[in-house]
Amino acid sequence: MKKLLAMLLAAVMLLSVIGAVAEETAEQGTPLVVATSTLSEKFSPYFADTAYDQDVVNMTQASMMTTDRTGGIIYNGIEGETHSYNGTDYTYYGTGDLAVNYDEEADITTYTYKMRDDLKFSDGEPMTIDDVIFNYYVFLDPAYNGSTTLNSYDIVGLQAYRTQIPEASVEETSATAAAVREAYAANGEGYTVTESDPFTQEAYDSYAAAATQLWKEDLQGIVDYVYENYAADYAESIMGMTAEEVGASDGAKVAFGAAMWGFTVEGDEPTIDDLFASVFAQYAGDLDSYLSVESATGATADEINGALMVKVAEDAGVDMSAGVPNISGIVRVDDYTVEVKVKGFSAPAVYSILGLSIAPLHYYGDPAQYDYENNQFGHPFGDLSLIQAKNAEPMGAGPYKFVKYENRVVYYEANENYYLGAPEIKSFQYKETQATEVATAVQTGTADGGEMTGSKSNFEMLRSFNSNGEVTGDVVTTYSVANLGYGYIGMNADTMNVAGEPGSEASKNLRKAFATILSVYRDTAIDSYYGDAAAVINYPISTTSWAAPQATDEGYKVAFSVDVDGNDIYTADMDQEAKYEAALQAAIGYLKAAGYTFDEATGKFTEAPEGASLSYEAIIPGDGTGDHPAFAVLTDAKNALDKIGIELKINDPADSNVLWDALDAGTQNMWCAAWGATIDPDMYQVYHSSGIVGRGGSDSNHYHIQSDALDQLIVDARQSDDQDYRKQVYKAALDEIIDWAVEVPTYQRQNIVIASSERVDIPTVTGDVTTFWGWLSEVQTMKMVEAAK
């Protein structure tokens, strides 16, 4: 009887559980499943690297700024603004009101954000201006190493806060610290300070010792990385040894790493000290270019440079006892208003200063450590471990709440507190899907929508799905807009140069040889892959930008279409085959000028100059199948270069993280990728030398381009709101990038998004999808078909 009663009780409990699950499932309804690419699980509003990770984050976030369908800023977000687009009036609301005021006499720009007073995060906690201030102090902390470049703007009191040196002494201290670094670059360790030097011997010695240690450990990290990732394929050809034999000898590993990186070390058993001596000599002690790892003590280049600033200030008698407790230019006006004061004027600054997502202090930080009046901002100064601990689980005030990431699927549930209204669709998913499988996934019901490549074959497939033979019909609906970004082939100036001098004419000529060959094969490859859904571009900028050069502009040139003497490579009467041959001859000219040895009898190069190579690798994220618009470019270039004795190795890994890891380590030669652009064409994040990997900046300058002229042009363009002037400056900057030959602009494509006409209630999708207003921009109003009936 007891057993029977127990069984009956268990059955009743099971039925109750099943009923509860069924009720919960019914409440959630059918999820909207959107296909996405491979995710890196860095789902942080502070540290997300890839566009796909950022998409995951954005679904959980609400931003300070709202923009309309043309990219125009909505300044009156609380009451809303009505803007007309394509003959239709649309009203836009935001989380607050924005204002920008420039005081010409004081040369100060004040950015003001006034928040709505009814905002809540997805967990029901009220949002206040303290959440915004907390976010400012995360992005501006000296320990921040994400891609956001907010700290590049001269916010009043920012440098004093980051260095903890009083504002009155920061400028002079910075100049003296720069003098120490210059002396170290010229002399290394062991330099004796003279009377004319503005720094002490102790300051010099402490910096030189720390810099040398960090540099050597960085080199060891690069040697280990190169061995682990490339020895299996290249040890035999470079060293005449198997990968195992190289790995068994520390000296062989150093020699192999140096050779792959374009350096020469002497002796049978070279050491890291030998490699350091070679690198230091060739790069004139430019420490910051090669610091991509932490030292054994946990120090970074930023921290070593910070310690130098402190030492210089102490030696100068600066009173640092009080510290610098806050950023004086960030002012809390009231519970819902903040002001940020910036020295001078910078056109793109508004998108950074007033364009942050508002992540919650109570989740990412520690409320017990926040007290604005007592200069506490939610986390310890110089320590972002609290924030980084939440990198995999985002939270905010966006339309959906993150639930989990499991089996390559991100699960969300509706945020009932969303300020624009709780989403009609109660469950949302991002599902990792190979790019080649997105269309089929939508057709079969594995996904309800997603972005796909607008290739000829894909358009044909979409037409075959619909009974009307069009790309929009009864099975799928297609949205096509110009992509805010562009495709390119990049080259790393630090691994593709002559004699360790990335900016020399010889090094530029080496890269121009490859760029010339790559560029001539773009037209055929892009047309074959995309058809009318993409066009070849000649400057490294999206054609959606007002700053993009037009073919009718004075000085417009087809990319890499002149030879080493500055003469046009192509003539109007050349057919395609003639152009290929002309490009090959131009490449030979460039390589000769770079110092390569050419055998006229065989028509091939037989020896590379110091620091260069007869063989380079290009990494392309084609899923291991060659499914990439630039794959045909690389294949044709490889065949052409083979004719003249130059090897182009194509690495198409099944896992695209192989490429991203190489970019993060700075070890790649060439690679294929695409940039996502921003509304303003500011180039600071990607091309300014401070963004070179390992320098503590954006880490987005994967080209390792370091040009004082380019840096100045980027800064000049920021400091004006005259669009005509800025366009001229950006044209000069684009020409400088082309001259360095670190980037071959490849294509501007259309953004193709498809949605299931059978499962998504298409009339509820936002109208007039544009480059700046995506199909999920009003996801809260979307419905699934069953819910719309």
Side-chain angles (χ1 to χ4, degrees):
M1 181 63 72
K2 287 181 180 178
K3 290 182 180 179
L4 178 60
L5 287 173
M7 291 172 63
L8 287 171
L9 181 59
V12 170
M13 292 175 65
L14 178 60
L15 288 171
S16 298
V17 171
I18 292 173
V21 171
E23 184 178 347
E24 181 181 353
T25 302
E27 288 178 359
Q28 291 179 345
T30 303
L32 173 60
V33 181
V34 176
T36 188
S37 190
T38 303
L39 300 171
S40 302
E41 207 173 351
K42 196 180 284 187
F43 305 146
S44 168
Y46 307 101
F47 298 105
D49 282 335
T50 70
Y52 311 112
D53 280 11
Q54 192 62 59
D55 287 341
V56 170
V57 174
N58 288 346
M59 198 56 67
T60 68
Q61 300 297 307
S63 175
M64 297 167 69
M65 177 184 290
T66 297
T67 55
D68 66 11
R69 283 169 170 79
T70 66
I73 296 173
I74 305 301
Y75 285 94
N76 301 296
I78 297 176
E79 293 298 324
E81 294 182 9
T82 299
H83 295 186
S84 181
Y85 181 84
N86 200 23
T88 301
D89 286 342
Y90 293 101
T91 301
Y92 302 87
Y93 296 94
T95 59
D97 292 342
L98 315 178
V100 180
N101 294 290
Y102 175 60
D103 183 336
E104 188 171 358
E105 184 177 347
D107 194 25
I108 295 289
T109 304
T110 301
Y111 299 85
T112 305
Y113 174 67
K114 181 177 178 58
M115 177 189 291
R116 290 171 51 146
D117 61 6
D118 60 348
L119 297 174
K120 291 183 179 181
F121 291 107
S122 59
D123 62 353
E125 286 289 318
M127 181 190 295
T128 72
I129 209 65
D130 292 316
D131 294 290
V132 175
I133 292 172
F134 162 73
N135 279 274
Y136 279 135
Y137 274 88
V138 171
F139 284 114
L140 298 174
D141 192 272
Y144 178 73
N145 60 357
S147 61
T148 299
T149 57
L150 184 62
N151 62 17
S152 68
Y153 297 102
D154 198 3
I155 298 172
V156 174
L158 174 59
Q159 291 311 311
Y161 176 75
R162 286 170 61 87
T163 61
Q164 290 297 292
I165 297 171
E167 181 78 11
S169 303
V170 165
E171 187 173 342
E172 183 178 351
T173 302
S174 296
T176 303
V180 173
R181 289 193 293 270
E182 289 175 7
Y184 172 75
N187 303 285
E189 288 188 282
Y191 173 69
T192 301
V193 174
T194 67
E195 290 184 0
S196 61
D197 288 322
F199 47 83
T200 66
Q201 185 70 55
E202 187 178 358
Y204 183 89
D205 290 344
S206 61
Y207 173 79
T212 300
Q213 177 189 355
L214 181 55
W215 203 343
K216 288 180 180 179
E217 290 180 5
D218 182 72
L219 292 175
Q220 183 64 64
I222 291 174
V223 165
D224 292 341
Y225 178 89
V226 169
Y227 172 75
E228 291 168 6
N229 289 274
Y230 297 104
D233 294 326
Y234 305 124
E236 190 70 42
S237 60
I238 290 178
M239 300 292 293
M241 303 166 66
T242 66
E244 291 75 16
E245 289 171 336
V246 171
S249 165
D250 289 341
K253 284 178 67 175
V254 169
F256 176 71
M260 286 290 292
W261 200 26
F263 286 92
T264 301
V265 286
E266 303 296 334
D268 296 331
E269 286 290 324
T271 66
I272 287 296
D273 289 346
D274 296 323
L275 179 56
F276 169 73
S278 176
V279 173
F280 189 93
Q282 292 190 34
Y283 284 90
D286 183 11
L287 168 70
D288 291 341
S289 293
Y290 294 94
L291 301 183
S292 56
V293 298
E294 291 186 352
S295 73
T297 60
T300 64
D302 253 9
E303 290 166 346
I304 289 174
N305 289 331
L308 172 62
M309 288 278 287
V310 171
K311 178 59 180 172
V312 167
E314 289 174 345
D315 288 348
V318 175
D319 182 5
M320 300 172 60
S321 59
V324 181
N326 59 48
I327 302 169
S328 58
I330 298 178
V331 180
R332 186 186 194 277
V333 178
D334 57 41
D335 287 351
Y336 298 102
T337 309
V338 66
E339 289 182 349
V340 180
K341 296 183 181 296
V342 181
K343 297 176 184 178
F345 175 83
S346 176
V350 62
Y351 296 100
S352 294
I353 295 171
L354 298 180
L356 301 179
S357 294
I358 310 172
L361 158 64
H362 72 272
Y363 178 75
Y364 284 101
D366 179 5
Q369 296 185 55
Y370 186 90
D371 184 343
Y372 178 83
E373 297 299 330
N374 290 301
N375 299 310
Q376 293 181 297
F377 302 105
H379 63 87
F381 176 82
D383 180 1
L384 298 181
S385 56
L386 275 172
I387 293 89
Q388 291 167 325
K390 303 290 178 62
N391 273 1
E393 298 179 353
M395 181 180 172
Y400 284 93
K401 295 191 291 186
F402 176 89
V403 176
K404 63 180 178 179
Y405 172 62
E406 185 175 273
N407 297 325
R408 303 170 76 88
V409 178
V410 184
Y411 295 87
Y412 303 85
E413 60 185 34
N415 173 15
E416 299 300 323
N417 297 305
Y418 187 45
Y419 79 102
L420 293 176
E424 295 285 346
I425 301 172
K426 300 305 178 185
S427 180
F428 183 95
Q429 297 174 13
Y430 270 124
K431 184 174 185 178
E432 290 187 42
T433 308
Q434 293 284 354
T436 55
E437 299 173 359
V438 172
T440 303
V442 173
Q443 180 207 20
T444 60
T446 304
D448 300 312
E451 184 176 330
M452 59 178 288
T453 303
S455 64
K456 288 182 177 179
S457 59
N458 279 342
F459 279 127
E460 292 171 4
M461 186 187 308
L462 295 178
R463 293 188 183 97
S464 73
F465 292 164
N466 293 321
S467 60
N468 62 3
E470 302 293 334
V471 294
T472 292
D474 53 350
V475 176
V476 296
T477 295
T478 302
Y479 303 92
S480 177
V481 298
N483 182 51
L484 187 60
Y486 66 94
Y488 69 94
I489 300 173
M491 283 183 262
N492 181 350
D494 279 339
T495 62
M496 295 186 68
N497 62 63
V498 176
E501 299 177 3
S504 70
E505 286 305 310
S507 295
K508 291 178 181 178
N509 287 334
L510 160 58
R511 296 189 294 270
K512 285 177 182 177
F514 282 91
T516 300
I517 294 295
L518 291 166
S519 63
V520 76
Y521 290 106
R522 295 175 302 164
D523 289 326
T524 302
I526 300 308
D527 180 66
S528 175
Y529 192 87
Y530 281 116
D532 294 335
V536 169
I537 58 174
N538 290 304
Y539 290 89
I541 187 172
S542 172
T543 56
T544 61
S545 173
W546 52 261
Q550 304 299 310
T552 55
D553 291 348
E554 184 179 354
Y556 183 94
K557 295 287 291 184
V558 172
F560 304 106
S561 60
V562 297
D563 63 19
V564 69
D565 297 317
N567 302 313
D568 288 338
I569 298 173
Y570 313 111
T571 60
D573 59 348
M574 282 184 176
D575 61 18
Q576 205 61 46
E577 290 299 323
K579 288 183 177 180
Y580 296 154
E581 179 57 29
L584 190 63
Q585 293 306 312
I588 291 173
Y590 275 120
L591 289 172
K592 286 181 177 178
Y596 279 73
T597 302
F598 187 68
D599 185 339
E600 299 289 346
T602 62
K604 294 188 176 184
F605 288 97
T606 58
E607 188 176 350
E610 179 186 358
S613 175
L614 293 170
S615 176
Y616 288 101
E617 179 190 63
I619 308 176
I620 183 167
D623 296 331
T625 64
D627 183 28
H628 192 283
F631 193 80
V633 175
L634 294 186
T635 302
D636 290 338
K638 171 182 171 60
N639 294 334
L641 291 165
D642 279 344
K643 298 176 183 178
I644 59 174
I646 301 296
E647 182 181 32
L648 175 60
K649 299 173 182 176
I650 302 174
N651 180 3
D652 178 16
D655 183 355
S656 61
N657 284 314
V658 171
L659 170 58
W660 313 134
D661 290 345
L663 293 178
D664 287 343
T667 56
Q668 81 286 0
N669 296 150
M670 286 174 272
W671 73 99
C672 301
W675 281 120
T678 56
I679 295 172
D680 189 273
D682 181 35
M683 296 180 172
Y684 194 94
Q685 178 178 339
V686 175
Y687 297 104
H688 195 276
S689 62
S690 66
I692 292 175
V693 172
R695 291 196 173 190
S698 70
D699 280 355
S700 295
N701 183 348
H702 300 300
Y703 312 104
H704 293 239
I705 181 172
Q706 182 171 335
S707 163
D708 291 341
L710 179 60
D711 284 353
Q712 189 59 54
L713 289 166
I714 291 171
V715 172
D716 289 345
R718 279 184 154 196
Q719 294 174 344
S720 173
D721 61 354
D722 183 332
Q723 195 170 99
D724 290 337
Y725 168 76
R726 294 184 75 203
K727 184 171 182 177
Q728 293 176 11
V729 176
Y730 281 132
K731 173 59 166 61
L734 294 168
D735 287 339
E736 179 73 1
I737 295 166
I738 292 292
D739 183 55
W740 268 69
V742 291
E743 183 175 358
V744 179
T746 311
Y747 61 87
Q748 169 72 59
R749 66 174 173 84
Q750 293 290 299
N751 235 0
I752 309 298
V753 173
I754 60 173
S756 170
S757 306
E758 298 173 318
R759 297 181 301 283
V760 177
D761 185 21
I762 298 300
T764 67
V765 178
T766 187
D768 284 321
V769 174
T770 72
T771 300
F772 305 99
W773 193 261
W775 76 295
L776 295 176
S777 291
E778 294 181 282
V779 67
Q780 74 277 3
T781 65
M782 291 175 60
K783 297 179 180 179
M784 304 302 286
V785 168
E786 64 177 32
K789 292 179 180 178

